[in-house]
Amino acid sequence: MSSTSAFKRFARWFRAALEAVISLHGLKKEDIALDNPAIKDYLIELKELPSRRLGELSFAYRKHGYDTLSHQIQALLDKYMDSVITRDNCRAIVNIMNKVAGHPGYFKAMGAEQKLLEIKPLLLALSGLQLYSGKEPEKADLLAALSILLFNVYPSQKLLRLMSRFEPSPKNDELLYDHCAIIAMNYMLLGRLDLAAEYNERALSYAHDEEKRAYSLILESCIHLSRKDFDKAIAALSRCSSVAGDKRMRATAQFYLGIVYYETDRLEEAMECFRLSRDGLEDELDVMSACNNIGTCAMLQGDLKAAIREFEGVEYIGRYMTGNTAKSLMSVAYGNLGIIYLNMMEYDRAIGYLKKALKLDKDTHDNKGVANHLANIGLALEARREYKLALEHFKSALNISFMCDYLEGALFSFSRIERLMALEGRFEDVEALKQEMTRRNPGISRMLSE
């Protein structure tokens, strides 16, 4: 070993030991400030906030839009029945439409092989229409409508490309809107943002009612967010909020507007948006999400009483819920209550809430959340000078962080383990642990030496 590396290792050990001794004798208060940059960097104490979850929109145009699509397909099938598409195939396609409309989860739960059997009538119809030599607008409309139905049953990149080829006739604005909106959304999810923006702009030009315009504006804002263009995202969501007549749609626009403001550190505006959003929400899970977000903003502004009220509100709403989504939202609330009481040096209450959050994340198999809560319980135990127990929690957090490739959690846990081992003079154990971490993730070596 070179003298330089030996000195660096000695300096690191000395620093860890000194910090541990200072903490032990109370010469320096442990830094658990809510605005500490390290907390945000590691996502240990605040987790991933604000809550991004909001239930799927059920605004009116969707039902109306699907009915319109169904009626168009039915009328067009009647036109081509027996001449281009067999009668049996037409009946099978109508049956597929009924399943999609009446049982939205029917095809989602189906295996790939079974799906291929189910979509065979659609593939035969599309093939027959392409071979048919006619040039009438109805042919283009049926090709487009059937490709949309096929994509609903079996979404894939290949079918997205196929659907983009089948353009509806120029005067069918209803079908053109659905065609462009679906393609735009899926290109956005694939990260092809230029294509997503192009198709969404076209969808907006075919949107002749306020709900369709509002949906396109929300999609536009998502594209801008993906590009990190926050000002344009804010402008799109503000327009959406002003044009939407449906209360649920306005609430959704306000919710995502709040997230954009949060991401740009405009906490006052974010909190106001989340409050406006909550007033328009009916689903209890959505309300819990909004409350978590309001509580997070209050917590970061230092208004801990207001934050506690919001998180306790989440606990009250979800007290009888057993689904995984509810458990995840409750975990966020409990985890933040634990952090607040940790900040207030009420360690018993902090540990109580963190253990509740830990149980919920174990139930939902959220390993990153489990690592976060174990590390936070370790902080509370360390503050109570229960060093042996704290060390066990940090080690557990470290192992789970490695198991789920949670690098920030691993680094945070290692730093706390190093400090506690330094109290006992166990420098060789620290070095052995560091070597083991480097073996499991070679890229971590430089960060461990900083």
Side-chain angles (χ1 to χ4, degrees), residues 3-19 418 422 427 449-450:
S3 58
T4 302
S5 60
F7 178 77
K8 283 185 176 179
R9 192 168 74 175
F10 170 76
R12 181 179 177 86
W13 286 347
F14 180 79
R15 184 173 68 248
L18 182 63
E19 288 177 354
E418 184 180 40
F427 300 117
S449 301
E450 290 176 350

Side-chain angles (χ1 to χ4, degrees), residues 48 58 81 126 196 252:
E48 187 174 331
S58 58
M81 187 185 297
L126 287 167
T252 302

Side-chain angles (χ1 to χ4, degrees), residues 285 320-328 364:
L285 293 172
Y320 300 125
M321 295 184 183
T322 57
N324 282 348
T325 301
K327 287 181 178 180
S328 295
T364 59

Side-chain angles (χ1 to χ4, degrees), residues 14-69:
F14 180 79
R15 184 173 68 248
L18 182 63
E19 288 177 354
V21 170
I22 289 174
S23 176
L24 175 65
H25 291 284
L27 299 176
K28 178 184 177 184
K29 179 181 177 293
E30 185 65 55
D31 188 4
I32 314 177
L34 295 176
D35 59 353
N36 183 344
I39 291 176
K40 279 192 173 182
D41 289 343
Y42 288 123
L43 299 175
I44 287 292
E45 300 196 356
L46 297 184
K47 290 194 64 177
E48 187 174 331
L49 294 169
S51 170
R52 261 63 175 170
R53 189 228 168 252
L54 199 67
E56 184 178 355
L57 288 170
S58 58
F59 42 88
Y61 100 82
R62 276 198 171 175
K63 181 71 170 68
H64 172 70
Y66 190 79
D67 286 345
T68 301
L69 180 65

Side-chain angles (χ1 to χ4, degrees), residues 140-188:
D141 290 342
L142 186 54
L143 280 168
L146 291 180
S147 70
I148 290 173
L149 181 58
L150 178 61
F151 188 83
N152 270 277
V153 175
Y154 204 128
S156 72
Q157 288 192 47
K158 286 185 178 180
L159 287 181
L160 183 61
R161 289 195 294 271
L162 178 72
M163 185 167 58
S164 65
R165 282 174 45 203
F166 295 139
E167 186 94 4
S169 61
K171 294 184 179 180
N172 194 335
D173 285 3
E174 289 280 353
L175 197 52
L176 280 163
Y177 174 82
D178 289 336
H179 172 83
C180 292
I182 291 171
I183 293 174
M185 180 180 67
N186 285 280
Y187 273 138
M188 184 198 69

Side-chain angles (χ1 to χ4, degrees), residues 350-366:
I351 290 171
Y353 278 117
L354 291 168
K355 283 184 175 179
K356 288 182 178 182
L358 178 63
K359 181 182 182 305
L360 291 171
D361 280 347
K362 284 181 176 179
D363 288 347
T364 59
H365 307 289
D366 180 357

